[in-house]
């Protein structure tokens, strides 16, 4: 397994891959966990050549503090990549992905980019779609894998692929959860042992009553000490974002 920081080095490898080789791609911001591993395993099983990218993308953070504190565990991530038989790891530097700065962002007007995460984190989806477009141009994969924990992100990336006629199959993958129901997330690694129980409590409280009364769920979450950013239903799914000990948690799942 080799890792690549510069486009010029990577693209030589990419261009040398025979066209019959199917390339699977898992883009991440690192701090890999079992959710990412499930994507890697699936992509490994479904493709001949597996590419992982690790890049904490500054343009998708709307708070500098969130970007600074985003967990970075590169050495451990590289070990995980080796364990799950990744063929190439791309670890770009900011100047490699944004050689002219962020001068050509993709700015979505899709209705899904205006609600929930799009509403509370202005510019977030522009940053995500811009970096995903860049990474897809680097890797030119046949299939790209994303977790459904970021449901809006998955849907908007599918819209990006449709609207720009990109020749790649987007594969949304089921959210991986702890026993409490808490979705795995790189940000969970920021909780101390004393803080973690409240994150699990969040997942339990969400599931502890009727979804017909969102006001009651919100009250329970707030009484437990969580700050609710949104709690809404769309497309038969419950979407929620809270702040737990100053760390953002998001989730969504189907409610029948
Ligand atoms: O889901 C993520 O980790 C990021 O939003 C992504 C898709 C890697 C873009 O930076």
């Amino acid at each position: 397994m080799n890792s690549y920081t510069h486009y010029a080095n990577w693209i030589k490898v990419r261009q040398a891959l025979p066209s019959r080789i199917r390339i699977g791609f898992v883009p991440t911001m690192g701090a890999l966990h079992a959710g990412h591993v499930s994507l890697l395993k699936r992509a490994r099983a479904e493709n001949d050549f597996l590419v992982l990218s690790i890049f904490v993308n500054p343009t998708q953070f709307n708070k500098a503090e969130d970007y600074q504190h985003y967990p970075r565990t590169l050495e451990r991530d590289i070990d995980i990549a080796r364990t799950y038989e990744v063929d190439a790891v791309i670890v770009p530097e900011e100047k490699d992905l944004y050689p002219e700065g962020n001068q050509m962002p993709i700015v979505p007007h899709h209705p899904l980019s205006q609600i929930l995460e799009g509403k509370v984190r202005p510019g977030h989806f522009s940053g995500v779609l811009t970096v995903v477009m860049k990474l897809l141009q680097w890797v030119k994969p046949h299939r790209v894998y994303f977790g459904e924990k970021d449901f809006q992100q998955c849907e908007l990336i599918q819209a990006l692929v449709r609207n720009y006629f990109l020749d790649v199959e987007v594969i949304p993958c089921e959210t991986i959860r702890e026993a409490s129901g808490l979705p795995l997330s790189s940000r969970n690694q920021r909780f101390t042992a004393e803080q973690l129980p409240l994150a699990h409590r969040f997942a339990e409280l969400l599931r502890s009553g009727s979804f017909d009364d969102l006001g009651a769920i919100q009250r329970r979450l707030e009484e437990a000490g969580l700050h609710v950013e949104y709690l809404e239903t769309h497309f038969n799914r419950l979407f929620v974002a809270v702040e737990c000990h100053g760390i953002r948690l998001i989730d969504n799942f189907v409610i029948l």
Side-chain angles (χ1 to χ4, degrees), residues 27-29 36 55 57 60 70 128 131-132 135 146 150 153 157:
T28 75
M29 297 205 298
H36 295 117
F55 177 66
N57 173 37
Q60 70 187 75
Y70 198 85
V128 169
V131 81
V132 167
L135 290 167
F146 296 96
D150 299 298
Q153 169 173 288
I157 290 168

Side-chain angles (χ1 to χ4, degrees), residues 5-238:
T5 299
H6 305 298
Y7 180 74
N9 297 342
W10 157 252
I11 202 65
K12 277 188 233 139
V13 177
R14 175 64 187 90
Q15 282 167 349
L17 289 174
S19 59
R20 67 184 151 74
I21 296 277
R22 299 287 95 181
I23 300 169
F25 178 35
V26 179
T28 75
M29 297 205 298
L32 301 183
H33 51 66
H36 295 117
V37 166
S38 75
L39 304 182
L40 291 174
K41 281 185 177 167
R42 181 159 174 196
R44 178 69 283 170
E46 295 179 352
N47 301 279
D48 307 307
F49 192 91
L50 175 55
V51 182
L52 164 73
S53 69
I54 298 174
F55 177 66
V56 184
N57 173 37
T59 67
Q60 70 187 75
F61 287 83
N62 57 320
K63 288 188 181 154
E65 191 263 351
D66 192 21
Y67 173 65
Q68 276 150 18
H69 290 119
Y70 198 85
R72 288 159 171 89
T73 59
L74 188 57
E75 269 180 39
R76 204 179 134 261
D77 293 349
I78 299 281
D79 287 344
I80 293 175
R82 213 169 269 119
T83 305
Y84 293 96
E85 298 173 23
V86 169
D87 294 299
V89 187
I90 296 188
V91 193
E93 281 170 11
E94 188 177 336
K95 63 177 170 7
D96 276 274
L97 264 185
Y98 292 95
E100 299 177 15
N102 192 18
Q103 288 186 21
M104 294 294 280
I106 291 178
V107 181
H109 294 286
H110 191 290
L112 207 51
S113 68
Q114 314 295 315
I115 61 172
L116 305 166
E117 288 297 285
K119 193 165 167 189
V120 299
R121 301 182 70 192
H124 169 66
F125 286 124
S126 174
V128 169
L129 296 172
T130 302
V131 81
V132 167
M133 178 64 126
K134 286 170 179 277
L135 290 167
L136 289 175
Q137 298 312 310
W138 274 47
V139 179
K140 300 191 194 313
H142 298 88
R143 301 190 185 93
V144 61
Y145 297 78
F146 296 96
E148 278 188 333
K149 180 181 76 74
D150 299 298
F151 182 87
Q152 279 180 284
Q153 169 173 288
C154 282
E155 293 287 316
L156 289 168
I157 290 168
Q158 292 182 74
L160 176 81
V161 164
R162 286 194 307 275
N163 280 270
Y164 285 89
F165 311 100
L166 303 180
D167 193 10
V168 61
E169 188 183 351
V170 177
I171 314 229
C173 301
E174 205 183 311
T175 304
I176 307 294
R177 299 175 182 280
E178 305 265 14
S180 63
L182 181 69
L184 298 194
S185 161
S186 301
R187 284 193 175 84
N188 296 356
Q189 298 176 29
R190 290 184 55 199
F191 289 117
T192 62
E194 291 73 42
Q195 292 174 335
L196 200 53
L198 184 57
H200 289 296
R201 189 87 188 107
F202 155 64
E204 288 157 2
L205 286 173
L206 262 188
R207 292 162 176 81
S208 66
S210 157
F211 296 120
D212 292 334
D213 189 354
L214 294 186
I217 300 181
Q218 174 148 357
R219 276 193 297 281
R220 279 200 294 276
L221 294 173
E222 286 185 341
E223 278 161 19
L226 297 150
H227 167 66
V228 179
E229 283 187 12
Y230 59 75
L231 178 71
E232 296 175 28
T233 54
H234 300 270
F235 336 101
N236 287 337
R237 274 178 187 265
L238 182 70

